[in-house]
Amino acid sequence: METSADLFKELKSFSEPELQKEILKHGKIIKAKKGDILIREGQYLNFLPIVIKGLLRVYQENEDREILLYYVGPEQTCMMSLSAAYFDYYSTANGIAIKPSEILVLPAHLIAEWQLKYPSWNKFILKTFKSRYDELLSAFGNVAFKPIQIRVKDYFSEYFKNEGSKKIPVSHQTLANDLGTTRVVISRILKQFEKENLVKLHRGYIELLY
Amino acid sequence: METSADLFKELKSFSEPELQKEILKHGKIIKAKKGDILIREGQYLNFLPIVIKGLLRVYQENEDREILLYYVGPEQTCMMSLSAAYFDYYSTANGIAIKPSEILVLPAHLIAEWQLKYPSWNKFILKTFKSRYDELLSAFGNVAFKPIQIRVKDYFSEYFKNEGSKKIPVSHQTLANDLGTTRVVISRILKQFEKENLVKLHRGYIELLY
DNA sequence: AAATATGTGTATCAAATGATACACTACTGA
DNA sequence: TCAGTAGTGTATCATTTGATACACATATTT
């Protein structure tokens, strides 16, 4: 179990000691294994999850396909949960842990209360709204205007920017799920990229050659 | 020019008398003609526009195409402006008046101030974030998963739901711009719909037969 | 070692979408 | 009235994307 010191080493955003006390008082830490589904579309949410460690993937799904909305990393929360919990509504997306994760869970009613009391909390809430919106907007523009090939390249660039590695540890299926298309389409494009010497393909990961 | 009584007849959301006074003190009303471009992509925004009368269209554009993000009607504000003004940032979309409009313009720095002072203002801000996010999310899912034909039908349903009329006053080009495709594609689909007796086509408007 | 699940390569076909070109009509403003 | 602009119809062709099917390889589990 986390000690409170450990917890606040991770949660740098919340500077007010009062707020920290409140978090300790009302929050619960839960652990999720890789693959645990934490939020389902349609589910009523009366709690707000803030990731301490690990990574969540939030996505929408259709009958046969899915598409990535965003990832939730440490010190972040999920727009779906925030909006659903704040307005007492249900989620319109799914959330799954893709790494073993530790998550701070707060009762929904506190979101609005704290927002008026603690500036750093208010800032956190608005930052979340803004940055998730920006991400979604950018994804939207991409899906509307860019061919999949470009979106795959963008995906690689994004990964490289964030992780600094040219070995991208995703299967073709995962890539297809993130980009909202099918595995065959991705395999075809990747093979083409390999012919153009842009990448080298391996089982389970893709190596960038540029 | 609006009298203050007229103004607050329109702005029912802001109930606190204090807030109303502040709005009168700091706000300016501007008028826009149909076709006036109010916000451009890349523009720094240090003001927040709230529509009193009329309608704005907020959209993203690519070299040769554009796509609708949302409309801003009376008593609403634009997510782009809100987010850009709140965080002192630039707009990532364009806004144009598509009806003659009257717009209340507020200095950006007041957004955060008022948010802590006036609950109705805070609610307005968060509602805006949430509902614009929801709209965008839904549009995203549609673009990612639904064929254009369905999106055209959805567009008609949406219009009928909001306006109650089966005469949809859009040109093919406008429809194409809203849905992020080209005019020829729309004309083709509409002709097909007409053959199936779903619509009757006229110059400048489309009549629903269902 | 056998069984099972996951990952990859690839061919074939169909459908959706986009690009381009041109004709024609209706409206608008000088 | 004439010219210009916006709106519409439609054909042709290329490209992109998706659906389906199957082979085979590599991991994992029992």
Side-chain angles (χ1 to χ4, degrees):
Chain A
M1 195 61 184
E2 295 283 314
T3 69
S4 50
D6 283 342
L7 178 56
F8 287 107
K9 228 185 294 163
E10 307 297 332
L11 287 179
K12 302 191 191 75
S13 316
F14 307 119
S15 44
E16 291 102 335
E18 303 287 312
L19 175 55
Q20 299 194 353
K21 261 187 233 160
E22 295 239 44
I23 290 177
L24 282 179
K25 186 170 158 202
H26 299 100
K28 252 190 342 199
I29 301 272
I30 64 167
K31 305 202 180 211
K33 290 189 306 294
K34 181 173 168 175
D36 284 357
I37 296 184
L38 303 171
I39 296 170
R40 282 170 204 279
E41 196 167 341
Q43 180 186 4
Y44 275 82
L45 296 177
N46 55 0
F47 60 90
L48 182 75
I50 298 177
V51 172
I52 309 290
K53 285 181 190 160
L55 194 62
L56 312 186
R57 176 176 183 276
V58 178
Y59 61 99
Q60 273 202 321
E61 68 184 347
N62 207 237
E63 300 94 63
D64 48 347
R65 273 190 262 165
E66 54 181 55
I67 191 164
L68 174 70
L69 297 181
Y70 49 81
Y71 293 108
V72 186
E75 276 194 89
Q76 297 182 335
T77 188
C78 155
M79 178 73 188
M80 289 323 309
S81 324
L82 180 55
S83 143
Y86 199 99
F87 295 94
D88 193 24
Y89 213 54
Y90 52 83
S91 173
T92 52
N94 307 284
I96 186 174
I98 57 172
K99 290 185 188 172
S101 302
E102 292 177 22
I103 296 151
L104 170 65
V105 176
L106 297 168
H109 68 93
L110 294 174
I111 302 175
E113 269 178 48
W114 290 358
Q115 200 212 335
L116 296 173
K117 278 200 246 170
Y118 305 110
S120 74
W121 179 260
N122 185 40
K123 202 170 162 193
F124 172 71
I125 299 297
L126 289 169
K127 272 230 153 112
T128 300
F129 272 106
K130 176 184 162 48
S131 54
R132 294 306 179 208
Y133 189 85
D134 287 349
E135 283 169 1
L136 183 58
L137 188 58
S138 144
F140 180 66
N142 290 342
V143 171
F145 296 130
K146 295 191 186 174
I148 301 184
Q149 297 180 15
I150 304 294
R151 292 170 52 216
V152 171
K153 285 183 186 170
D154 288 352
Y155 187 101
F156 292 160
S157 307
E158 189 68 15
Y159 184 90
F160 182 66
K161 206 185 83 194
N162 293 328
E163 306 293 328
S165 165
K166 296 203 169 183
K167 295 191 177 176
I168 320 240
V170 288
S171 72
H172 298 185
Q173 184 62 61
T174 303
L175 202 41
N177 288 342
D178 281 1
L179 297 179
T181 182
T182 60
R183 200 271 307 170
V184 183
V185 171
I186 294 295
S187 293
R188 185 194 293 156
I189 287 171
L190 288 178
K191 208 64 201 170
Q192 185 55 34
F193 284 179
E194 194 174 49
K195 275 182 198 148
E196 297 166 9
N197 276 311
L198 296 172
V199 302
K200 191 159 189 308
L201 301 180
H202 308 266
R203 185 188 177 87
Y205 71 99
I206 297 151
E207 192 182 349
L208 304 185
L209 300 180
Y210 54 90
Chain B
M1 196 60 186
E2 296 281 315
T3 70
S4 50
D6 284 342
L7 178 57
F8 286 107
K9 229 185 295 165
E10 307 298 333
L11 287 179
K12 301 192 192 74
S13 315
F14 307 119
S15 45
E16 290 103 335
E18 303 289 313
L19 176 55
Q20 299 194 352
K21 259 186 233 159
E22 294 237 46
I23 290 177
L24 283 179
K25 186 169 157 201
H26 298 100
K28 252 191 341 197
I29 301 275
I30 64 166
K31 305 204 179 210
K33 290 189 305 295
K34 182 174 168 174
D36 285 357
I37 295 184
L38 303 172
I39 297 168
R40 283 170 204 281
E41 198 168 338
Q43 180 186 4
Y44 276 82
L45 296 176
N46 55 0
F47 61 89
L48 182 74
I50 298 177
V51 172
I52 310 291
K53 286 181 189 162
L55 195 62
L56 312 186
R57 176 176 183 275
V58 179
Y59 60 99
Q60 271 203 323
E61 68 184 348
N62 208 236
E63 300 95 62
D64 48 346
R65 274 191 260 164
E66 53 181 57
I67 192 164
L68 174 70
L69 297 180
Y70 50 81
Y71 294 108
V72 186
E75 275 194 272
Q76 298 182 334
T77 189
C78 154
M79 177 75 188
M80 289 325 308
S81 324
L82 180 56
S83 142
Y86 199 101
F87 294 94
D88 193 25
Y89 213 54
Y90 52 83
S91 173
T92 52
N94 307 282
I96 185 175
I98 57 172
K99 288 185 189 174
S101 302
E102 292 178 21
I103 295 151
L104 171 65
V105 175
L106 297 167
H109 68 93
L110 293 174
I111 302 176
E113 271 179 46
W114 290 359
Q115 202 211 333
L116 296 174
K117 278 201 244 169
Y118 306 110
S120 73
W121 179 260
N122 187 40
K123 203 171 161 192
F124 172 72
I125 300 298
L126 289 169
K127 272 232 151 110
T128 299
F129 271 107
K130 176 186 161 45
S131 54
R132 294 305 180 208
Y133 189 84
D134 287 349
E135 283 169 1
L136 183 58
L137 188 57
S138 145
F140 181 66
N142 289 342
V143 172
F145 296 130
K146 294 190 185 175
I148 300 185
Q149 297 179 15
I150 304 295
R151 292 170 53 216
V152 171
K153 286 182 185 170
D154 287 353
Y155 188 99
F156 292 160
S157 307
E158 189 68 14
Y159 184 88
F160 182 67
K161 206 185 83 195
N162 292 331
E163 305 292 328
S165 164
K166 296 202 168 182
K167 294 190 178 175
I168 319 238
V170 287
S171 72
H172 298 185
Q173 183 62 60
T174 304
L175 202 42
N177 287 343
D178 281 1
L179 297 179
T181 182
T182 60
R183 202 269 309 168
V184 183
V185 171
I186 294 295
S187 293
R188 185 194 293 155
I189 287 171
L190 289 177
K191 208 65 201 171
Q192 185 55 34
F193 285 178
E194 194 174 48
K195 274 182 198 147
E196 296 166 10
N197 277 312
L198 295 173
V199 301
K200 189 160 190 309
L201 300 181
H202 306 265
R203 185 187 177 87
Y205 70 99
I206 297 152
E207 192 183 348
L208 303 184
L209 299 180
Y210 55 89

